[in-house]
Amino acid sequence: MGFTDFVSDAGLTLLNTWLASRSYIIGHAPTQADVKVFEAFKEKPAVEKYPHAARWYKHIATYESEFTSLPGDPSKAATAYGPEVSTLPIQPKAPADDAAAAEDDDEVDLFGSESEEDEEKQAETARRLEEYKKKKEGKTKPAAKSIVTMEVKPWDDETDLKAMEAAVRAIEQDGLVWGGSKLQPVGFGIFKLQINLVVEDEKVSLEDLQESISELEDYVQSTDVIAMQKL
């Protein structure tokens, strides 16, 4: 019962015929059935001899990173899926006449003939696959962010710290959000500005940001990143 051999022509022919009118081993979306049959292969099927099996194999390979999350029973083996027979004749004997051929077709119709019902199933499969792709595309990963504590040192005790902080906060950039701040004593009546900020890692370079702050030459002597933590 089911798929048992993916090395012999008979086994590959069986799978190829099974997939001639199907996008997946069972159902209308990838499942553990596809995973188990896929993993039973030692090498991909030859597209010249088994085009339907090769098309399926290439498609399922795109889900390899999601195999463990696909629905279905992972404890089942590949032999649990497929038709109720384990072999197919590769070169069936020619019928004696047209009447015998018609009779044989009625008796050995393992997969059914093309019909309106088959076309409806294929259309439904295509529709569900498109919905799955759109749903998958809509799941965007949240942007990686970091919370940073930065020190901004003024020139001397005569530097207007309020004006310095206002100038620092005036620096705007996509992916940058300024947070709370406080003044920390350095000595000799000099205070430094300690300010928090949240940055999107892909959009904001801390080196470039520090360079922009250092360009505030009327206020800023230097800057240092003293803490950084991923959110």
Side-chain angles (χ1 to χ4, degrees):
M1 176 185 290
F3 300 121
T4 58
D5 181 6
F6 301 107
V7 177
S8 70
D9 285 341
L12 285 168
T13 299
L14 178 65
L15 178 66
N16 191 66
T17 307
W18 181 260
L19 293 168
S21 59
R22 296 170 173 84
S23 296
Y24 303 99
I25 298 300
I26 58 173
H28 304 289
T31 66
Q32 290 298 318
D34 297 282
V35 173
K36 292 302 179 181
V37 175
F38 179 91
E39 291 179 340
F41 276 86
K42 294 182 179 179
E43 60 182 17
K44 61 183 179 181
V47 67
E48 299 83 3
K49 293 184 67 175
Y50 313 106
H52 304 301
R55 177 260 307 159
W56 166 85
Y57 186 95
K58 182 178 180 181
H59 176 59
I60 296 303
T62 64
Y63 292 93
E64 200 160 2
S65 63
E66 304 174 42
F67 274 4
T68 57
S69 63
L70 292 178
D73 185 355
S75 66
K76 287 186 177 181
T79 54
Y81 305 103
E84 295 297 319
V85 295
S86 59
T87 59
L88 273 179
I90 298 173
Q91 293 182 336
K93 294 181 180 180
D97 51 39
D98 291 343
E103 183 178 349
D104 287 345
D105 286 344
D106 289 341
E107 293 178 357
V108 188
D109 188 9
L110 295 175
F111 304 105
S113 58
E114 292 295 329
S115 64
E116 291 184 3
E117 183 177 355
D118 292 332
E119 292 177 1
E120 289 177 1
K121 287 182 178 179
Q122 291 181 12
E124 177 67 11
T125 297
R127 183 186 68 79
R128 289 178 178 245
L129 181 58
E130 187 64 27
E131 288 180 355
Y132 179 79
K133 287 181 178 178
K134 288 181 179 179
K135 183 178 179 181
K136 195 174 178 184
E137 290 170 358
K139 292 183 177 179
T140 56
K141 293 183 178 179
K145 296 181 180 180
S146 300
I147 182 168
V148 179
T149 301
M150 185 181 294
E151 285 185 347
V152 182
K153 297 177 182 177
W155 283 109
D156 51 38
D157 61 346
E158 295 183 358
T159 302
D160 187 337
L161 297 180
K162 288 186 178 180
M164 183 179 75
E165 180 175 352
V168 170
R169 290 182 180 276
I171 297 174
E172 296 182 351
Q173 185 178 346
D174 185 26
L176 167 64
V177 178
W178 295 106
S181 64
K182 62 182 178 179
L183 298 177
Q184 293 281 88
V186 177
F188 306 102
I190 301 175
F191 288 80
K192 60 186 175 183
L193 173 67
Q194 191 175 96
I195 188 167
N196 295 325
L197 53 144
V198 175
V199 297
E200 289 188 28
D201 297 342
E202 291 187 359
K203 294 181 178 180
V204 179
S205 164
L206 289 179
E207 290 184 3
D208 291 345
L209 179 59
Q210 286 181 269
E211 185 176 342
S212 296
I213 296 174
S214 295
E215 289 175 357
L216 303 172
E217 297 177 351
D218 291 339
Y219 307 108
V220 179
Q221 177 194 136
S222 63
T223 66
D224 287 304
V225 172
I226 63 171
M228 181 176 179
Q229 183 178 352
K230 297 291 184 182
L231 291 179

